[in-house]
Amino acid sequence: QVQFVESGGGLVQYGGSLRLSCTTSRSIFSFWTMGWYRQAPGKQRDLVAHITSRGSTTYADSVKGRFTISRDNAKNTLYLQMNNLKPEDTAVYYCNKHPDATSFWGQGTQVTVSS
């Protein structure tokens, strides 16, 4: 079962910005701590940021100060605003619960940052 649908990725120049979205049909979304994850080819999937049901946020050191995670519980939607993008941010980005991620990962959305 597809639980999450990610969108908003694309090709961007070094220093550019993108805004990712993640939606789910689950009405229980508002109770979940949610995370954005990313995976580059040949590398493991890593947690980028997460946000609690009440809006408390935490970021990986690699993105701190550049990325902002947010949510709209009324819309069952998670967002990731990415600014000052770098080539090392290139990856497929996924959303899921944190830390208890479900096994039903979405297709993700590709983010490619050129040099």
Side-chain angles (χ1 to χ4, degrees), residues 43-115:
K43 302 182 67 176
Q44 67 178 7
R45 180 183 285 127
D46 293 325
L47 182 69
V48 174
H50 64 271
I51 182 170
T52 70
S53 62
R54 296 187 62 82
S56 180
T57 59
T58 304
Y59 299 91
D61 288 341
S62 59
V63 307
K64 192 172 299 181
R66 300 187 297 119
F67 291 10
T68 302
I69 187 171
S70 61
R71 66 195 298 160
D72 187 337
N73 289 336
K75 297 180 179 179
N76 289 350
T77 302
L78 181 74
Y79 302 99
L80 186 67
Q81 178 66 48
M82 305 185 294
N83 298 324
N84 192 25
L85 284 161
K86 304 175 180 179
E88 51 262 45
D89 296 317
T90 295
V92 178
Y93 285 70
Y94 303 87
C95 62
N96 210 323
K97 297 172 64 182
H98 174 76
D100 52 334
T102 75
S103 61
F104 303 109
W105 294 87
Q107 292 297 304
T109 186
Q110 176 72 50
V111 172
T112 303
V113 185
S114 64
S115 301

